[in-house]
Amino acid sequence: MDDEAPCGPRHSNSLADLDREFGAGTERDVRVLVTRVHRELASHAEYAKVPWGLFHHASGRADDVAELLTQIRSGNPRAAAQALSSLHHGVRHQGDTYAPAALAVPFLLRIAAEPSSHHRAEVLQLAAESGRRNHHGDGSRTGLLQTAHPPGHWLFDSSGYPMHWSIQASREALTAEVRIVLELLDDPDTAVRCSACYALAAVTGEVERTSTALHRRLSIEKVPEVRVSLVLAIAQLAREHHKSRNTTVWARELWASSDQTAETRLGAALAWLCLTKDPVPDQLLSVLPQVLTPTVVDAMSRVPWMQYVDIGNTGVYRCLTQMLDTLARQVLGENTQDLQEPDPWA
């Protein structure tokens, strides 16, 4: 689990002290190294030239990452799956992002983009996850579309390295390689398209280009879980980059329109709830039970955002329980979720 320390160690008197202590701007800063990986090493898959050993993941020193990437890229599907599982466990352990994750992102994106690679959606998903805070099941109106903690919020992984640097570096790597991810919006694999949406929602730049591409894909996309992923990605970009006004109006028009598909209306409803602080209108309370069909609920279980709210088919129910608060039972009935943590001493 991550450790939050907005003020840093006791002997540090300012954020500038923390920056110096952890080597901001030097080779100890993963944000610096990821730029080098993107520019010099990623295009030729030069895994061994990355100084992985400068950093740790959840299982110790990260010297094994180069070999894991080699196995993921191999033509052996079983070896690739095992290596991907090991890499995921190490660099994105229990929802925390470790520094080697950011350095792996440029390589992971290229592996995912290669049609002959195995487990492409899962590879792309790991790259996308690396650029996000640990949600801890947060599907609230303020939390679902929050990519990272605000500036000045210090977090440390289990090795003591600044985790917010790792998340930032991962997002910058996704942005630097945005061309690759944009092309994956048109991939024939449904799961790859969902993961591409999740990755694009975390970029730090190229916002207009990315948003335009997401809207274009939404105009032709037919698969329910991808349509929801596109809507949430558009909303998340708008929220993160302070362009919410027009997107809030757009989301409301979608969920209010009976001409839209049920999954589009549900995705737009979630987006709208995250983009505004307005009270939940009666019209939305009447729309939600109509669109929460078994087919749509099943599709929602394959939407990346829901997978990090809860495992299985209950993610959308848990999310709406958090978002609607006291109004949840009116919409969800017996599907309203118990949000209280169990008492370990009971």
Side-chain angles (χ1 to χ4, degrees), residues 208-228:
E208 293 299 332
R209 177 186 181 189
T210 301
S211 183
T212 298
L214 291 165
H215 277 284
R216 178 198 60 78
R217 183 67 212 183
L218 181 61
S219 70
I220 60 175
E221 181 60 60
K222 302 299 183 183
V223 179
E225 56 263 37
V226 186
R227 289 188 62 81
V228 175

Side-chain angles (χ1 to χ4, degrees), residues 11-26 28-29 31 154 162 165:
H11 60 273
S12 294
N13 297 317
S14 69
L15 295 180
D17 291 337
L18 281 172
D19 279 339
R20 286 190 293 271
E21 180 179 341
F22 285 97
T26 71
R28 291 164 56 200
D29 187 340
R31 298 169 298 181
W154 278 71
W165 285 7

Side-chain angles (χ1 to χ4, degrees), residues 283-302:
Q283 183 184 6
L284 181 55
L285 292 175
S286 66
V287 165
L288 286 171
Q290 299 174 34
V291 300
L292 282 166
T293 66
T295 299
V296 171
V297 170
D298 177 64
M300 292 298 291
S301 70
R302 295 184 290 278

Side-chain angles (χ1 to χ4, degrees), residues 22-34 36 49 51 54-55 103 161:
F22 285 97
T26 71
E27 198 174 63
R28 291 164 56 200
D29 187 340
V30 69
R31 298 169 298 181
V32 172
L33 274 179
V34 80
R36 179 191 159 205
K49 293 186 178 181
L54 291 175
F55 304 99
L103 299 176
Y161 191 79

